[in-house]
Amino acid sequence: MYLWSLVTPNYVNGRRIGLLARHGDYDVRLIDCPKSANRDAEPIWIELFDRQNNVSLDSFSGHDFEEAAVAADSLISRARELEAASN
């Protein structure tokens, strides 16, 4: 996937995870779903992750890059709002 050239992925539980944005304890991450695990998996998976509580708060999956960009922007805005609310 071409998106991996835009981020430096880390590996968590065998999955590539790239950080798109970080605001306080909130990350917006691009996640690579292993193809062998689920052939029907969406090729683009983005999530809003709460590092303090180690939980995913929201996510987007799909095939369309434009929709993924809109979803990523929305999740980044939400991360900013959550960080501001926690201060």
Side-chain angles (χ1 to χ4, degrees):
M1 175 188 277
Y2 294 112
L3 292 175
W4 291 110
S5 64
L6 302 175
V7 296
T8 303
N10 292 316
Y11 289 85
V12 176
N13 296 328
R15 300 166 99 184
R16 283 189 299 187
I17 296 180
L19 182 64
L20 299 178
R22 174 171 285 163
H23 293 281
D25 290 326
Y26 304 97
D27 292 349
V28 177
R29 312 183 316 175
L30 175 65
I31 299 174
D32 184 27
C33 297
K35 290 171 185 62
S36 61
N38 183 354
R39 294 194 182 276
D40 295 330
E42 303 288 351
I44 304 169
W45 185 274
I46 301 168
E47 76 174 1
L48 172 58
F49 189 78
D50 178 347
R51 285 183 292 113
Q52 183 176 10
N53 295 303
N54 199 33
V55 64
S56 178
L57 301 175
D58 199 356
S59 64
F60 165 86
S61 65
H63 292 276
D64 186 272
F65 287 117
E66 289 180 28
E67 288 178 1
V70 170
D73 187 51
S74 176
L75 293 174
I76 290 168
S77 292
R78 186 157 173 224
R80 278 190 208 111
E81 291 168 2
L82 289 167
E83 179 199 14
S86 68
N87 289 329

Coordinates of all heavy atoms in Angstrom, one line a residue:
M1 N 0.8 -1.2 0.0 CA 0.0 0.0 0.0 C 0.9 1.2 0.0 O 1.8 1.3 0.7 CB -0.9 0.0 1.2 CG -1.7 1.2 1.4 SD -2.7 1.3 2.9 CE -4.1 0.4 2.5
Y2 N 0.6 2.2 -0.8 CA 1.4 3.4 -1.0 C 1.4 4.3 0.3 O 2.3 5.0 0.5 CB 0.8 4.2 -2.1 CG 1.0 3.6 -3.4 CD1 -0.1 3.1 -4.2 CD2 2.3 3.4 -4.0 CE1 0.1 2.5 -5.4 CE2 2.4 2.7 -5.2 CZ 1.3 2.3 -5.9 OH 1.5 1.7 -7.1
L3 N 0.3 4.2 1.1 CA 0.3 5.0 2.3 C 1.5 4.7 3.3 O 1.8 5.6 4.0 CB -1.0 4.8 3.1 CG -2.3 5.3 2.4 CD1 -3.5 4.9 3.2 CD2 -2.3 6.8 2.2
W4 N 2.0 3.6 3.3 CA 3.1 3.2 4.2 C 4.3 4.0 3.9 O 5.2 4.2 4.8 CB 3.4 1.7 4.2 CG 2.2 1.0 4.8 CD1 1.3 0.2 4.2 CD2 1.8 1.1 6.2 NE1 0.4 -0.2 5.1 CE2 0.6 0.4 6.3 CE3 2.2 1.8 7.3 CZ2 -0.1 0.2 7.5 CZ3 1.5 1.7 8.5 CH2 0.4 0.9 8.6
S5 N 4.5 4.6 2.7 CA 5.6 5.4 2.4 C 5.5 6.8 3.1 O 6.4 7.5 3.2 CB 5.8 5.6 0.9 OG 4.7 6.3 0.3
L6 N 4.3 7.1 3.5 CA 4.0 8.4 4.2 C 4.2 8.4 5.7 O 4.4 9.5 6.3 CB 2.6 8.9 3.9 CG 2.2 9.0 2.4 CD1 0.7 9.4 2.3 CD2 3.0 10.1 1.8
V7 N 4.2 7.3 6.3 CA 4.4 7.1 7.7 C 5.5 6.1 8.0 O 5.7 5.2 7.2 CB 3.1 6.8 8.4 CG1 2.0 7.8 8.3 CG2 2.5 5.4 8.0
T8 N 6.1 6.2 9.2 CA 7.0 5.2 9.6 C 6.3 4.2 10.5 O 5.9 4.5 11.6 CB 8.2 5.8 10.4 OG1 8.8 6.8 9.6 CG2 9.2 4.8 10.8
P9 N 6.1 3.0 10.0 CA 5.2 2.0 10.7 C 6.0 1.4 11.9 O 7.2 1.2 11.8 CB 4.8 1.0 9.7 CG 5.9 1.0 8.7 CD 6.4 2.4 8.7
N10 N 5.3 1.1 12.9 CA 5.7 0.3 14.0 C 5.0 -1.0 13.9 O 4.0 -1.1 13.2 CB 5.5 0.9 15.4 CG 6.3 2.1 15.6 OD1 7.5 2.2 15.4 ND2 5.7 3.2 16.1
Y11 N 5.4 -2.0 14.6 CA 4.7 -3.3 14.6 C 4.1 -3.6 16.0 O 4.8 -3.6 16.9 CB 5.6 -4.4 14.1 CG 5.9 -4.3 12.6 CD1 6.9 -3.5 12.2 CD2 5.1 -5.0 11.7 CE1 7.2 -3.4 10.8 CE2 5.4 -4.8 10.3 CZ 6.4 -4.0 9.9 OH 6.7 -3.9 8.6
V12 N 2.8 -3.9 16.0 CA 2.1 -4.2 17.3 C 1.3 -5.5 17.0 O 0.4 -5.4 16.1 CB 1.2 -3.1 17.8 CG1 0.5 -3.5 19.0 CG2 2.0 -1.8 18.0
N13 N 1.6 -6.5 17.7 CA 0.9 -7.8 17.5 C 0.9 -8.2 16.0 O -0.1 -8.7 15.5 CB -0.6 -7.7 18.0 CG -0.6 -7.5 19.5 OD1 0.3 -7.9 20.2 ND2 -1.6 -6.7 19.9
G14 N 2.0 -8.0 15.4 CA 2.2 -8.5 14.0 C 1.5 -7.6 12.9 O 1.5 -7.9 11.8
R15 N 1.0 -6.4 13.4 CA 0.3 -5.5 12.4 C 1.2 -4.2 12.3 O 1.7 -3.7 13.3 CB -1.1 -5.1 13.0 CG -2.0 -6.3 13.1 CD -3.2 -5.9 13.9 NE -4.3 -5.7 13.0 CZ -5.5 -5.2 13.5 NH1 -5.7 -5.0 14.7 NH2 -6.4 -5.0 12.6
R16 N 1.3 -3.7 11.1 CA 1.9 -2.4 10.9 C 1.0 -1.3 11.4 O -0.2 -1.3 11.0 CB 2.3 -2.2 9.5 CG 3.5 -2.9 9.0 CD 3.9 -2.5 7.6 NE 2.8 -2.7 6.6 CZ 2.9 -2.6 5.3 NH1 4.1 -2.1 4.8 NH2 1.9 -2.8 4.5
I17 N 1.5 -0.4 12.2 CA 0.8 0.7 12.7 C 1.6 2.0 12.4 O 2.7 2.1 12.9 CB 0.4 0.6 14.1 CG1 -0.5 -0.6 14.3 CG2 -0.3 1.8 14.7 CD1 -1.0 -0.9 15.7
G18 N 1.0 2.9 11.7 CA 1.6 4.2 11.4 C 0.9 5.3 12.1 O -0.3 5.4 12.1
L19 N 1.6 6.2 12.7 CA 1.0 7.4 13.4 C 0.8 8.5 12.4 O 1.7 9.0 11.8 CB 2.0 7.9 14.5 CG 1.5 9.0 15.4 CD1 0.3 8.6 16.2 CD2 2.6 9.5 16.3
L20 N -0.5 8.9 12.3 CA -0.9 10.0 11.5 C -0.9 11.3 12.3 O -0.5 12.4 11.7 CB -2.3 9.8 10.9 CG -2.4 8.5 10.0 CD1 -3.9 8.4 9.5 CD2 -1.5 8.6 8.8
A21 N -1.3 11.3 13.5 CA -1.3 12.5 14.4 C -1.3 12.0 15.8 O -1.8 11.0 16.2 CB -2.5 13.3 14.1
R22 N -0.8 12.9 16.7 CA -0.8 12.7 18.1 C -1.2 14.0 18.8 O -0.6 15.0 18.6 CB 0.5 12.2 18.6 CG 0.6 12.1 20.2 CD 1.8 11.4 20.7 NE 1.6 10.0 20.4 CZ 2.6 9.1 20.4 NH1 3.9 9.5 20.6 NH2 2.4 7.8 20.1
H23 N -2.2 13.9 19.7 CA -2.6 15.1 20.5 C -2.8 14.6 21.9 O -3.8 13.8 22.2 CB -3.9 15.7 19.9 CG -3.8 16.3 18.6 ND1 -3.2 17.6 18.4 CD2 -4.0 15.8 17.4 CE1 -3.2 17.8 17.2 NE2 -3.7 16.8 16.5
G24 N -1.9 14.9 22.8 CA -1.9 14.4 24.1 C -1.8 12.9 24.1 O -0.9 12.3 23.5
D25 N -2.8 12.3 24.8 CA -2.8 10.8 24.9 C -3.6 10.2 23.8 O -3.8 9.0 23.8 CB -3.5 10.4 26.2 CG -2.7 10.7 27.4 OD1 -1.5 10.6 27.4 OD2 -3.3 11.1 28.5
Y26 N -3.9 11.0 22.8 CA -4.8 10.5 21.7 C -4.0 10.4 20.4 O -3.4 11.4 19.9 CB -6.0 11.3 21.5 CG -6.8 11.4 22.8 CD1 -6.6 12.5 23.7 CD2 -7.6 10.4 23.2 CE1 -7.3 12.6 24.9 CE2 -8.3 10.4 24.4 CZ -8.1 11.5 25.2 OH -8.8 11.6 26.4
D27 N -4.0 9.2 19.8 CA -3.3 9.0 18.5 C -4.3 8.7 17.4 O -5.3 8.0 17.7 CB -2.4 7.8 18.6 CG -1.2 8.0 19.5 OD1 -0.9 9.1 19.9 OD2 -0.5 6.9 19.7
V28 N -4.1 9.2 16.2 CA -4.8 8.7 15.0 C -3.8 7.9 14.3 O -2.7 8.4 13.9 CB -5.3 9.9 14.2 CG1 -6.0 9.4 13.0 CG2 -6.3 10.8 15.1
R29 N -4.2 6.6 14.1 CA -3.2 5.6 13.5 C -3.8 5.0 12.3 O -5.0 4.7 12.2 CB -3.0 4.6 14.6 CG -2.7 5.1 15.9 CD -2.3 4.1 17.0 NE -3.1 2.9 17.1 CZ -2.9 1.9 17.9 NH1 -1.9 2.0 18.7 NH2 -3.6 0.8 17.9
L30 N -2.9 4.7 11.4 CA -3.2 3.9 10.2 C -2.7 2.5 10.5 O -1.6 2.3 11.0 CB -2.4 4.5 9.0 CG -2.5 3.7 7.7 CD1 -3.9 3.7 7.1 CD2 -1.5 4.3 6.7
I31 N -3.6 1.5 10.3 CA -3.4 0.2 10.7 C -3.5 -0.7 9.4 O -4.4 -0.6 8.7 CB -4.4 -0.3 11.7 CG1 -4.2 0.6 13.0 CG2 -4.1 -1.8 12.1 CD1 -5.2 0.3 14.0
D32 N -2.5 -1.6 9.3 CA -2.4 -2.6 8.2 C -3.1 -3.9 8.7 O -2.5 -4.5 9.6 CB -1.0 -2.8 7.8 CG -0.9 -3.7 6.6 OD1 -1.8 -3.8 5.8 OD2 0.2 -4.3 6.4
C33 N -4.2 -4.2 8.1 CA -4.8 -5.5 8.5 C -4.2 -6.6 7.7 O -4.1 -6.5 6.4 CB -6.3 -5.5 8.2 SG -7.2 -4.2 9.2
P34 N -3.6 -7.6 8.3 CA -3.0 -8.7 7.6 C -3.9 -9.4 6.6 O -5.0 -9.7 7.0 CB -2.5 -9.7 8.7 CG -2.6 -8.9 9.9 CD -3.6 -7.8 9.8
K35 N -3.5 -9.5 5.4 CA -4.4 -10.1 4.3 C -4.7 -11.6 4.6 O -5.8 -12.0 4.3 CB -3.7 -9.9 3.0 CG -3.7 -8.5 2.5 CD -2.9 -8.3 1.3 CE -2.8 -6.9 0.9 NZ -2.1 -6.0 1.8
S36 N -3.8 -12.3 5.2 CA -4.0 -13.7 5.5 C -5.1 -13.9 6.6 O -5.7 -14.9 6.6 CB -2.7 -14.4 5.9 OG -2.2 -13.8 7.1
A37 N -5.2 -12.9 7.5 CA -6.2 -13.0 8.6 C -7.6 -12.9 8.1 O -8.5 -13.6 8.6 CB -5.9 -11.9 9.6
N38 N -7.8 -12.0 7.1 CA -9.2 -11.8 6.6 C -9.1 -11.3 5.2 O -8.9 -10.1 5.0 CB -10.0 -10.9 7.5 CG -11.4 -10.7 7.1 OD1 -11.8 -11.2 6.1 ND2 -12.2 -10.0 7.9
R39 N -9.4 -12.1 4.2 CA -9.3 -11.7 2.8 C -10.3 -10.6 2.5 O -10.1 -9.8 1.5 CB -9.5 -12.9 1.9 CG -8.3 -13.9 2.0 CD -8.4 -14.8 0.8 NE -7.4 -15.8 0.9 CZ -6.2 -15.7 0.5 NH1 -5.8 -14.6 0.0 NH2 -5.3 -16.7 0.6
D40 N -11.4 -10.4 3.2 CA -12.3 -9.4 3.0 C -12.0 -8.1 3.7 O -12.8 -7.2 3.7 CB -13.7 -9.9 3.4 CG -14.2 -11.1 2.5 OD1 -13.8 -11.1 1.3 OD2 -14.9 -11.9 3.0
A41 N -10.9 -8.0 4.4 CA -10.6 -6.9 5.2 C -10.5 -5.6 4.3 O -10.0 -5.7 3.2 CB -9.3 -7.1 6.0
E42 N -10.9 -4.5 4.9 CA -10.7 -3.3 4.1 C -9.3 -2.9 4.1 O -8.5 -3.1 5.0 CB -11.5 -2.2 4.9 CG -13.0 -2.5 5.0 CD -13.8 -2.4 3.7 OE1 -13.3 -1.9 2.7 OE2 -15.0 -2.8 3.8
P43 N -8.8 -2.4 2.9 CA -7.4 -2.1 2.8 C -6.9 -0.8 3.6 O -5.8 -0.7 3.9 CB -7.2 -1.8 1.3 CG -8.5 -1.4 0.8 CD -9.5 -2.2 1.7
I44 N -7.9 0.1 4.0 CA -7.6 1.3 4.7 C -8.3 1.2 6.1 O -9.5 1.1 6.1 CB -8.0 2.5 4.0 CG1 -7.3 2.6 2.6 CG2 -7.6 3.8 4.8 CD1 -7.9 3.7 1.7
W45 N -7.5 1.2 7.1 CA -8.1 1.2 8.5 C -7.4 2.3 9.3 O -6.2 2.3 9.4 CB -7.9 -0.2 9.1 CG -8.5 -0.3 10.5 CD1 -8.0 0.1 11.7 CD2 -9.8 -0.8 10.7 NE1 -8.9 -0.1 12.7 CE2 -10.1 -0.7 12.1 CE3 -10.8 -1.4 9.9 CZ2 -11.2 -1.2 12.7 CZ3 -12.0 -1.8 10.5 CH2 -12.2 -1.7 11.9
I46 N -8.2 3.2 9.8 CA -7.7 4.3 10.6 C -8.5 4.3 11.9 O -9.7 4.1 11.9 CB -8.0 5.7 9.9 CG1 -7.3 5.7 8.5 CG2 -7.4 6.8 10.7 CD1 -7.7 6.8 7.6
E47 N -7.7 4.5 13.0 CA -8.4 4.6 14.3 C -7.9 5.7 15.2 O -6.8 6.2 15.1 CB -8.3 3.2 15.0 CG -6.9 3.0 15.7 CD -6.9 1.7 16.5 OE1 -7.9 1.0 16.6 OE2 -5.8 1.5 17.1
L48 N -8.8 6.1 16.0 CA -8.5 7.1 17.1 C -8.3 6.2 18.3 O -9.2 5.5 18.8 CB -9.7 8.0 17.3 CG -9.6 9.0 18.5 CD1 -8.4 9.8 18.5 CD2 -10.9 9.8 18.6
F49 N -7.1 6.3 18.9 CA -6.6 5.4 20.0 C -6.3 6.3 21.2 O -5.6 7.3 21.1 CB -5.4 4.6 19.5 CG -5.0 3.5 20.5 CD1 -5.7 2.4 20.5 CD2 -4.0 3.7 21.3 CE1 -5.4 1.3 21.4 CE2 -3.6 2.7 22.2 CZ -4.3 1.5 22.2
D50 N -6.8 5.8 22.3 CA -6.5 6.5 23.6 C -5.4 5.7 24.3 O -5.5 4.6 24.7 CB -7.8 6.4 24.5 CG -7.6 7.0 25.9 OD1 -6.4 7.2 26.3 OD2 -8.6 7.2 26.6
R51 N -4.2 6.3 24.3 CA -3.0 5.6 24.8 C -3.0 5.4 26.3 O -2.6 4.4 26.8 CB -1.7 6.3 24.4 CG -1.3 6.1 23.0 CD 0.0 6.8 22.6 NE -0.1 8.2 22.6 CZ 0.5 9.0 23.5 NH1 1.3 8.5 24.4 NH2 0.3 10.3 23.4
Q52 N -3.6 6.3 27.0 CA -3.7 6.2 28.5 C -4.5 5.0 28.9 O -4.2 4.3 29.8 CB -4.3 7.5 29.1 CG -4.3 7.5 30.6 CD -4.8 8.8 31.2 OE1 -5.3 9.7 30.5 NE2 -4.7 9.0 32.5
N53 N -5.6 4.8 28.2 CA -6.5 3.7 28.6 C -6.3 2.5 27.7 O -7.0 1.5 27.9 CB -8.0 4.1 28.6 CG -8.2 5.2 29.6 OD1 -8.0 4.9 30.8 ND2 -8.7 6.4 29.2
N54 N -5.4 2.6 26.7 CA -5.1 1.5 25.8 C -6.4 0.9 25.1 O -6.6 -0.3 25.1 CB -4.4 0.4 26.5 CG -3.7 -0.6 25.6 OD1 -3.2 -0.1 24.5 ND2 -3.6 -1.8 25.9
V55 N -7.2 1.9 24.5 CA -8.4 1.5 23.9 C -8.7 2.3 22.6 O -8.3 3.5 22.5 CB -9.6 1.6 24.9 CG1 -9.8 3.0 25.3 CG2 -10.9 1.0 24.3
S56 N -9.3 1.7 21.6 CA -9.7 2.4 20.4 C -11.0 3.0 20.7 O -11.9 2.4 21.2 CB -9.8 1.4 19.2 OG -10.3 2.0 18.1
L57 N -11.1 4.3 20.4 CA -12.3 5.1 20.6 C -13.2 5.2 19.4 O -14.4 5.3 19.5 CB -12.0 6.5 21.1 CG -11.1 6.6 22.3 CD1 -10.7 8.1 22.6 CD2 -11.9 6.0 23.5
D58 N -12.6 5.2 18.2 CA -13.4 5.3 17.0 C -12.5 4.8 15.8 O -11.3 4.7 16.0 CB -13.8 6.7 16.8 CG -15.0 6.9 15.8 OD1 -15.5 5.9 15.2 OD2 -15.4 8.0 15.6
S59 N -13.2 4.4 14.7 CA -12.3 4.0 13.6 C -13.1 4.1 12.3 O -14.3 4.4 12.3 CB -12.0 2.5 13.8 OG -13.2 1.7 13.8
F60 N -12.3 4.0 11.2 CA -12.9 4.1 9.8 C -12.2 2.9 9.1 O -11.0 2.7 9.2 CB -12.5 5.4 9.2 CG -12.7 5.4 7.7 CD1 -13.9 5.6 7.1 CD2 -11.7 5.1 6.8 CE1 -14.1 5.6 5.8 CE2 -11.8 5.0 5.5 CZ -13.1 5.3 4.9
S61 N -13.0 2.3 8.2 CA -12.4 1.3 7.3 C -13.0 1.5 5.9 O -14.2 1.8 5.9 CB -12.5 -0.1 7.8 OG -13.9 -0.5 7.8
G62 N -12.2 1.3 4.9 CA -12.8 1.4 3.6 C -11.8 1.2 2.5 O -10.6 0.9 2.7
H63 N -12.2 1.5 1.2 CA -11.4 1.3 0.1 C -11.0 2.6 -0.6 O -10.1 2.6 -1.4 CB -12.1 0.4 -1.0 CG -12.3 -1.0 -0.5 ND1 -11.3 -2.0 -0.7 CD2 -13.3 -1.6 0.0 CE1 -11.7 -3.1 -0.2 NE2 -13.0 -2.9 0.2
D64 N -11.7 3.7 -0.3 CA -11.6 4.9 -1.0 C -10.6 5.9 -0.3 O -10.9 6.2 0.9 CB -13.0 5.6 -1.1 CG -13.0 6.8 -2.0 OD1 -12.7 7.9 -1.4 OD2 -13.2 6.7 -3.2
F65 N -9.6 6.4 -1.0 CA -8.6 7.2 -0.4 C -9.2 8.6 0.0 O -8.9 9.1 1.1 CB -7.4 7.5 -1.3 CG -6.5 6.3 -1.4 CD1 -6.4 5.7 -2.6 CD2 -5.8 5.8 -0.3 CE1 -5.5 4.6 -2.8 CE2 -5.0 4.7 -0.4 CZ -4.9 4.1 -1.7
E66 N -10.1 9.1 -0.8 CA -10.7 10.4 -0.4 C -11.6 10.3 0.8 O -11.5 11.2 1.7 CB -11.6 10.9 -1.6 CG -10.7 11.4 -2.7 CD -11.5 11.9 -3.9 OE1 -12.6 12.4 -3.7 OE2 -11.0 11.8 -5.0
E67 N -12.4 9.2 0.9 CA -13.1 9.0 2.2 C -12.2 8.8 3.4 O -12.5 9.3 4.5 CB -14.1 7.8 2.0 CG -15.2 8.0 1.1 CD -16.1 6.8 0.9 OE1 -15.8 5.7 1.5 OE2 -17.0 6.9 0.1
A68 N -11.1 8.1 3.2 CA -10.2 7.9 4.3 C -9.6 9.2 4.7 O -9.4 9.4 5.9 CB -9.1 6.9 3.8
A69 N -9.3 10.1 3.8 CA -8.7 11.4 4.1 C -9.7 12.2 5.0 O -9.3 12.8 6.0 CB -8.3 12.1 2.9
V70 N -10.9 12.2 4.6 CA -12.0 12.9 5.3 C -12.1 12.3 6.7 O -12.2 13.0 7.7 CB -13.3 12.9 4.5 CG1 -14.5 13.4 5.4 CG2 -13.2 13.7 3.3
A71 N -12.1 11.0 6.8 CA -12.3 10.3 8.1 C -11.1 10.6 9.0 O -11.2 10.9 10.2 CB -12.4 8.8 7.9
A72 N -9.8 10.6 8.4 CA -8.6 10.9 9.2 C -8.7 12.3 9.7 O -8.4 12.6 10.9 CB -7.4 10.7 8.3
D73 N -9.1 13.3 8.9 CA -9.3 14.6 9.3 C -10.3 14.8 10.5 O -10.0 15.4 11.5 CB -9.7 15.5 8.2 CG -9.7 17.0 8.5 OD1 -8.6 17.5 9.0 OD2 -10.7 17.7 8.3
S74 N -11.4 14.0 10.4 CA -12.4 14.1 11.4 C -11.8 13.5 12.7 O -12.1 14.0 13.8 CB -13.6 13.3 11.0 OG -14.6 13.2 12.0
L75 N -11.1 12.3 12.6 CA -10.6 11.7 13.8 C -9.5 12.6 14.4 O -9.4 12.6 15.7 CB -10.0 10.3 13.5 CG -11.1 9.3 13.1 CD1 -10.4 8.0 12.6 CD2 -12.0 9.0 14.2
I76 N -8.7 13.3 13.6 CA -7.7 14.2 14.2 C -8.3 15.3 14.9 O -7.9 15.7 16.0 CB -6.7 14.7 13.0 CG1 -5.9 13.5 12.5 CG2 -5.9 15.8 13.5 CD1 -5.1 13.8 11.2
S77 N -9.4 15.9 14.3 CA -10.1 17.0 15.0 C -10.7 16.5 16.4 O -10.6 17.2 17.4 CB -11.3 17.5 14.1 OG -10.8 18.1 13.0
R78 N -11.2 15.3 16.4 CA -11.7 14.7 17.6 C -10.6 14.5 18.6 O -10.8 14.8 19.8 CB -12.5 13.4 17.4 CG -13.1 12.9 18.6 CD -14.3 11.9 18.3 NE -14.7 11.4 19.5 CZ -15.0 10.1 19.7 NH1 -15.0 9.3 18.7 NH2 -15.4 9.6 20.9
A79 N -9.4 14.1 18.2 CA -8.3 13.9 19.1 C -7.9 15.3 19.7 O -7.7 15.3 20.9 CB -7.1 13.3 18.4
R80 N -7.9 16.3 18.9 CA -7.6 17.7 19.4 C -8.7 18.1 20.5 O -8.3 18.6 21.5 CB -7.7 18.7 18.3 CG -6.4 18.8 17.5 CD -6.5 20.0 16.6 NE -5.7 19.7 15.4 CZ -6.1 19.5 14.2 NH1 -7.4 19.6 13.9 NH2 -5.3 19.3 13.2
E81 N -9.9 17.8 20.2 CA -11.0 18.2 21.1 C -10.9 17.4 22.5 O -11.1 18.0 23.5 CB -12.4 17.9 20.5 CG -12.7 18.8 19.4 CD -13.9 18.3 18.6 OE1 -14.6 17.3 18.9 OE2 -14.3 19.0 17.6
L82 N -10.6 16.1 22.4 CA -10.4 15.3 23.6 C -9.2 15.8 24.4 O -9.3 15.8 25.6 CB -10.2 13.8 23.2 CG -11.5 13.1 22.7 CD1 -11.1 11.8 22.0 CD2 -12.5 13.0 23.8
E83 N -8.1 16.1 23.7 CA -7.0 16.6 24.5 C -7.3 17.9 25.1 O -7.0 18.1 26.3 CB -5.8 16.8 23.5 CG -4.6 17.4 24.3 CD -3.5 18.0 23.4 OE1 -3.8 18.3 22.2 OE2 -2.4 18.3 23.9
A84 N -8.0 18.8 24.4 CA -8.4 20.1 25.0 C -9.3 19.9 26.2 O -9.2 20.6 27.2 CB -9.0 21.0 24.0
A85 N -10.2 19.0 26.1 CA -11.1 18.7 27.2 C -10.4 18.1 28.5 O -10.9 18.3 29.6 CB -12.2 17.8 26.8
S86 N -9.3 17.5 28.2 CA -8.6 16.8 29.3 C -7.7 17.8 30.1 O -7.2 17.4 31.1 CB -7.9 15.6 28.9 OG -6.8 16.0 28.0
N87 N -7.4 18.9 29.5 CA -6.5 19.9 30.2 C -7.3 20.8 31.1 O -8.3 21.1 31.1 CB -5.8 20.7 29.1 CG -4.8 19.9 28.4 OD1 -4.2 19.0 28.9 ND2 -4.5 20.2 27.1

